[in-house]
Amino acid sequence: PPLQYSLLLQHLVGDKRQPRVWDPATLGGIPCPPKSEEQKMVERVMESCPFKAALACVGGFVLGGAFGIFTAGIDTNVGFDPKDPYRTPTAKEVLKDMGQRGISYAKNFAIVGAMFSCTECVVESYRGKSDWKNSVISGCITGGAIGFRAGLKAGVIGCGGFAAFSAAVDYYLR
């Protein structure tokens, strides 16, 4: 019996053990073909910091523009003239104000998106991990930098608020 145990142990743990080849098909999974060099290159580009920053900037611009146009459309003071409060604004004035507000919001959202994406990429590279803490730290840095223009207290509040929002979004998405 002790000899059989040592032979079994030698077979399972020792140098006679054959390595298993990882094959999803043997486990009942869907086999997937190896990736081509082009696919690997596209993945590397899409995971790069400049691509993520550009995507966040463009996405922020589009979302901000839509939000600006929407808020201008429901604002009752669009085209309001304080000198003549009874005058009804023309459609041209309303559309002009909607366009101006849409562009303003679009630029601000684009800047915030690019700032957040860049700081998240830098934090992720520095920490060497991809987890929820990266978005919270990035949110704090971004919110603090935006709020700091109005003073230290606003910077601290911006840091906390943006970090909490980032944590909530990250919790919801993961």
Side-chain angles (χ1 to χ4, degrees), residues 15 18 174:
D15 56 356
Q18 297 294 321
R174 288 189 191 211

Side-chain angles (χ1 to χ4, degrees), residues 3 6-20:
L3 184 62
S6 64
L7 288 174
L8 180 65
L9 190 62
Q10 182 69 21
H11 178 73
L12 292 175
V13 180
D15 56 356
K16 294 180 183 176
R17 181 172 177 232
Q18 297 294 321
R20 281 194 176 168

Side-chain angles (χ1 to χ4, degrees), residues 26-50:
T26 60
L27 300 174
I30 300 172
C32 107
K35 294 179 182 174
S36 67
E37 287 302 315
E38 291 84 15
Q39 288 175 323
K40 291 177 185 177
M41 184 187 68
V42 168
E43 281 183 358
R44 281 193 301 269
V45 167
M46 292 183 76
E47 289 295 322
S48 69
C49 289

